Amino acid sequence: MAKKESTSPSNFIKNIVEEDIRAGKHNGRIHTRFPPEPNGYLHIGHAKAICLNFDLAAEYKGLCNLRFDDTNPTKEETKYVEAIKEDIHWLGFDWDDRLYYASDYFKILYEYALKLIEKGKAYVCDLSPDKIREYRGTLTESGKNSPYRNRTVEENLELFEKMKNGKFENGKCVLRAKIDMSSPNMNMRDPIMYRILHTKHHRTGDKWCIYPSYDFTHGQSDSIEKITHSLCDLGFEGHRPLYNWFIENLEIFPSRQIEFARLNLSYTVLSKRKLRELVEGNFVSGWDDPRMPTLSGLRKRGFTQKSIRDFCERIGMAKAESLVDIALLEHCLREDLNKRAQRVMAVLNPLKIIIDNYPEGKTEELDAVNNPEDASMGMRKVPFSKEIFIEQNDFMEEPPKKFWRLSPGKEVRLRYAYFIKCEKVVKDAAGNVVEVHCTYDPKTKGGNAPDGRKVKATLHWVSAKQAINAEVRQYDRLFSVENPLAEQDDFKEYLNSDSLKILTNCKLEPSLENAKSDTQYQFERLGYFLIDSKDSSNKKLVFNRTVTLRDTWARIQKAQKSDKK
RNA sequence: UGGGUCGUCGCCAAGCGGCAAGGCACAGGGUUUUGGUCCCUGCAUUCGGAGGUUCGAAUCCUCCCGACCCAGCCA
């Protein structure tokens, strides 16, 4: 009997959904939404929420809306909504015609407010912000009622009308829900529903000068859209009673809020505010700096949407606060890139090799495989000649234990070319190795010795005459500590000073002259690279290093170093 | 000192009374013209702690310990 099954792992949200379906709730209908505020760029933490909402809906044959939560005109801008839409599409999700804005509901929300006032459940309060805070009490002490709490319905209606009509300046008064100033839940101590903001809104312009608060908007928006499961992060747990209170008192469709733990990733920060600090302080080149955990940054760096989605699935979904190892993200990335990246040879830190017994002026075109994981990607030709470049760290005059690469008297293979043997080292006055003379064995063409002798190492190389120059930007982790926010000092003190190294004298095989900006390359033995979408040109090629290959030798070296200590 | 939530391997995370899934990381070994990939193997007698209920508990009960969130006219 064939067994199928490839459903993603179970989690507490799916359990709830399945229970609801079993119980026939909403006739088994599942409808979610992703509700970003257009006040910044999306990062990989948002990707977790996006995948959760869209994938959950898809798995249960439901729908997922995109809704901009735009109730604070002082912080929101159209440019962010465009960027957010682009990022979600890039991840491969689509909301069809279900693009909504909380601001679409301003009129209904206003009517909802009227309804609550009429039911005696809301009132206009003239207390100043300071007084409101004072009256709210503390975590352990009950608050006290506002002196304006018992205004009549008529009076409230009239004042709220005036608020709407711009009769008051900012901060003069607010509309509050009349709940319970002694509630142990601070959110229930007569929360603010509307505040006065004489600010132009990115969509409604000057139409309104009062704006609803998050609490008076979110649940109702969910309700209006008939959202069945409203997923948000743990920070809103304490708001759930209020979310339900508005829905119950308004007697509208009962969406259900469920909270999950937000993503934390090691060696970076995932908070709009903190990321903004990095951008505004010029610690990075912008929101799309390849070191940023923003979706635009990851994209520019060369991350694939598939790897991010895979990551979001593998980290699971729970309520325990956690710090996910960035190594898992890198693993997902390498796994995807390994299957699809076009292999090429590139030398980042060139060392000149002269093959003394190779004919002067001769050039051979050697066959190279484009992707050993995918035969359909075919073959290409790579030129070979007397002078070539290899990586500086592939040669050591005095090799340590386990170093199998080139060193005096040693023989190695040049990938797809020949075996070469190191004969002589040339140094400059300062003692630096400037070039290395080798001899080659003509019988090893293609990389195999007819006599069956083996070499331990295979090196990548680029023919000097045909090499093209390029700049390569090597990116690394943004921070030098796992959890920068857990440190005593300001998190910016822990930025990794080596997170970007720019190499300007890199040598690439000639096929890269026509490198495409949307093609992922593997520079053999080094890592995965992508053309920089902004700075690369025909005149000057610029590649970004997405991620290195796993490097066993580097780990051995590290171990050897720490052994000596 | 109020309220809410969480605590299963180094990092995530299944498990929902029948005797600890999986992934990452790590450690060994095999294959290999990338020290890559791939393939094997190992990696929690134990589920924050202590009691209790039960033939049987990570799963139920009690108490304790620890961590996080809430006092914006932000979301």
Side-chain angles (χ1 to χ4, degrees):
Chain A
M1 244 186 64
K3 288 213 170 183
K4 42 168 189 177
E5 262 347 281
S6 60
T7 48
S8 51
S10 97
N11 62 52
F12 79 100
I13 296 176
K14 286 189 190 183
N15 292 345
I16 291 172
V17 166
E18 281 169 20
E19 260 171 47
D20 288 346
I21 290 174
R22 230 177 288 123
K25 196 169 179 183
H26 307 310
N27 295 309
R29 189 176 60 85
I30 302 300
H31 205 329
T32 59
R33 102 272 88 117
F34 175 63
E37 182 188 11
N39 69 343
Y41 293 84
L42 262 26
H43 54 65
I44 192 166
H46 295 109
K48 176 181 176 181
I50 293 168
C51 292
L52 168 65
N53 280 292
F54 280 94
D55 283 336
L56 188 75
E59 186 167 344
Y60 295 97
K61 310 262 186 295
L63 297 168
C64 178
N65 298 351
L66 171 59
R67 180 174 72 232
F68 287 96
D69 218 333
D70 54 351
T71 58
N72 185 352
T74 64
K75 290 184 177 167
E76 295 147 5
E77 292 179 49
T78 304
K79 69 171 182 182
Y80 293 124
V81 346
E82 293 312 317
I84 288 169
K85 287 199 275 189
E86 183 187 351
D87 285 344
I88 299 172
H89 271 148
W90 177 67
L91 281 178
F93 296 107
D94 190 61
W95 49 87
D96 301 312
D97 58 352
R98 298 180 314 284
L99 169 61
Y100 303 117
Y101 294 83
S103 53
D104 290 341
Y105 310 135
F106 282 172
K107 177 112 193 305
I108 310 179
L109 258 10
Y110 179 75
E111 285 159 8
Y112 282 166
L114 256 21
K115 183 171 176 180
L116 253 23
I117 293 173
E118 280 159 5
K119 289 176 82 171
K121 305 266 190 180
Y123 63 98
V124 173
C125 179
D126 293 357
L127 249 25
S128 68
D130 279 349
K131 285 292 174 194
I132 286 187
R133 192 178 313 119
E134 190 185 316
Y135 275 62
R136 190 153 33 218
T138 69
L139 294 177
T140 52
E141 298 165 63
S142 165
K144 56 185 180 190
N145 287 167
S146 160
Y148 304 98
R149 202 172 197 258
N150 292 318
R151 294 219 251 223
T152 63
V153 169
E154 291 65 34
E155 195 179 356
N156 284 136
L157 249 16
E158 189 189 322
L159 288 168
F160 188 47
E161 170 90 14
K162 282 185 174 173
M163 279 173 67
K164 188 196 73 167
N165 292 338
K167 303 294 189 214
F168 305 124
E169 67 272 30
N170 289 357
K172 177 69 178 55
C173 53
V174 292
L175 182 71
R176 295 226 255 169
K178 191 190 286 188
I179 306 180
D180 178 7
M181 289 308 290
S182 66
S183 170
N185 181 343
M186 301 293 286
N187 296 301
M188 301 300 272
R189 322 245 260 226
D190 290 10
I192 288 162
M193 294 164 57
Y194 268 94
R195 74 280 212 198
I196 299 168
L197 248 29
H198 290 274
T199 304
K200 197 182 179 86
H201 185 278
H202 75 113
R203 293 189 74 245
T204 60
D206 292 320
K207 185 166 182 208
W208 298 87
C209 63
I210 55 171
Y211 292 91
S213 63
Y214 166 86
D215 285 309
F216 193 65
T217 304
H218 204 94
Q220 291 92 307
S221 300
D222 287 339
S223 182
I224 290 165
E225 294 174 21
K226 300 281 188 288
I227 298 302
T228 57
H229 301 264
S230 178
L231 313 174
C232 62
D233 76 67
L234 258 24
F236 295 96
E237 265 173 332
H239 293 248
R240 187 172 359 111
L242 182 54
Y243 180 102
N244 293 335
W245 190 91
F246 282 129
I247 283 178
E248 281 160 22
N249 285 280
L250 257 8
E251 300 167 88
I252 53 180
F253 179 84
S255 299
R256 201 239 270 216
Q257 174 181 305
I258 299 168
E259 312 84 17
F260 61 90
R262 58 185 296 161
L263 172 67
N264 293 298
L265 240 200
S266 62
Y267 298 100
T268 189
V269 293
L270 296 182
S271 126
K272 270 189 204 171
R273 212 196 112 245
K274 297 285 192 303
L275 293 174
R276 184 181 301 279
E277 234 179 296
L278 296 178
V279 173
E280 287 173 356
N282 289 315
F283 294 98
V284 293
S285 64
W287 287 96
D288 66 349
D289 184 298
R291 291 166 293 186
M292 291 283 271
T294 50
L295 294 180
S296 51
L298 293 168
R299 185 161 63 233
K300 196 153 185 274
R301 170 88 165 253
F303 276 71
T304 60
Q305 54 96 4
K306 186 166 186 287
S307 65
I308 292 173
R309 281 233 233 167
D310 185 33
F311 171 75
C312 289
E313 183 168 318
R314 293 211 215 188
I315 54 176
M317 187 60 62
K319 297 186 78 165
E321 286 174 51
S322 61
L323 180 65
V324 176
D325 191 343
I326 198 167
L328 177 58
L329 213 210
E330 293 173 345
H331 169 81
C332 295
L333 216 211
R334 292 189 181 108
E335 189 173 79
D336 186 31
L337 255 14
N338 175 52
K339 285 183 206 131
R340 59 210 289 185
Q342 152 93 44
R343 269 61 169 178
V344 291
M345 291 198 283
V347 173
L348 269 29
N349 296 292
L351 170 63
K352 175 76 77 69
I353 300 286
I354 296 160
I355 302 168
D356 292 327
N357 62 339
Y358 193 85
E360 196 84 46
K362 180 178 176 180
T363 299
E364 290 182 87
E365 294 288 324
L366 303 171
D367 294 312
V369 173
N370 286 334
N371 185 350
E373 306 291 320
D374 181 0
S376 74
M377 287 176 72
M379 308 274 291
R380 71 183 186 287
K381 296 287 188 184
V382 186
F384 183 82
S385 62
K386 188 180 179 75
E387 296 191 3
I388 62 169
F389 294 111
I390 67 165
E391 213 64 64
Q392 279 171 21
N393 61 14
D394 277 341
F395 173 81
M396 283 187 103
E397 200 173 11
E398 291 169 32
K401 242 186 202 167
K402 291 187 183 173
F403 182 87
W404 315 329
R405 281 110 98 144
L406 197 65
S407 55
K410 285 287 180 50
E411 188 173 53
V412 299
R413 171 167 43 231
L414 294 176
R415 177 146 235 230
Y416 302 126
Y418 296 96
F419 284 12
I420 58 169
K421 191 174 173 185
C422 172
E423 307 289 355
K424 197 177 77 184
V425 180
V426 179
K427 295 183 189 177
D428 63 15
N432 302 309
V433 177
V434 289
E435 59 183 43
V436 174
H437 287 256
C438 295
T439 51
Y440 85 118
D441 178 353
K443 294 194 287 294
T444 59
K445 182 168 180 178
N448 285 304
D451 64 6
R453 75 180 189 278
K454 302 288 186 198
V455 287
K456 204 78 192 265
T458 299
L459 309 186
H460 63 278
W461 52 274
V462 170
S463 174
K465 194 165 55 183
Q466 295 86 355
I468 54 180
N469 292 307
E471 173 176 313
V472 169
R473 299 174 181 172
Q474 295 184 310
Y475 294 103
D476 204 343
R477 297 169 176 182
L478 226 202
F479 288 90
S480 56
V481 295
E482 268 204 330
N483 189 0
L485 300 181
E487 301 290 338
Q488 287 299 116
D489 317 88
D490 183 82
F491 75 107
K492 297 193 293 306
E493 298 293 315
Y494 297 89
L495 282 160
N496 175 10
S497 52
D498 293 324
S499 62
L500 170 58
K501 277 186 206 151
I502 299 177
L503 269 24
T504 54
N505 186 32
C506 305
K507 305 293 183 181
L508 316 181
E509 67 167 68
S511 73
L512 247 10
E513 191 156 28
N514 303 309
K516 295 195 193 72
S517 58
D518 58 353
T519 302
Q520 313 270 0
Y521 294 95
Q522 183 196 97
F523 291 181
E524 292 212 34
R525 301 209 304 135
L526 297 174
Y528 297 97
F529 297 78
L530 180 71
I531 281 201
D532 187 279
S533 53
K534 275 188 190 158
D535 300 339
S536 194
S537 67
N538 292 335
K539 270 191 185 142
K540 181 187 167 202
L541 281 174
V542 178
F543 280 88
N544 291 329
R545 182 175 75 191
T546 308
V547 67
T548 63
L549 253 30
R550 280 185 81 229
D551 190 346
T552 307
W553 169 238
R555 270 187 284 152
I556 292 171
Q557 278 181 306
K558 207 174 164 189
Q560 287 178 343
K561 223 181 242 176
S562 62
D563 272 356
K564 280 177 188 165
K565 278 177 187 170

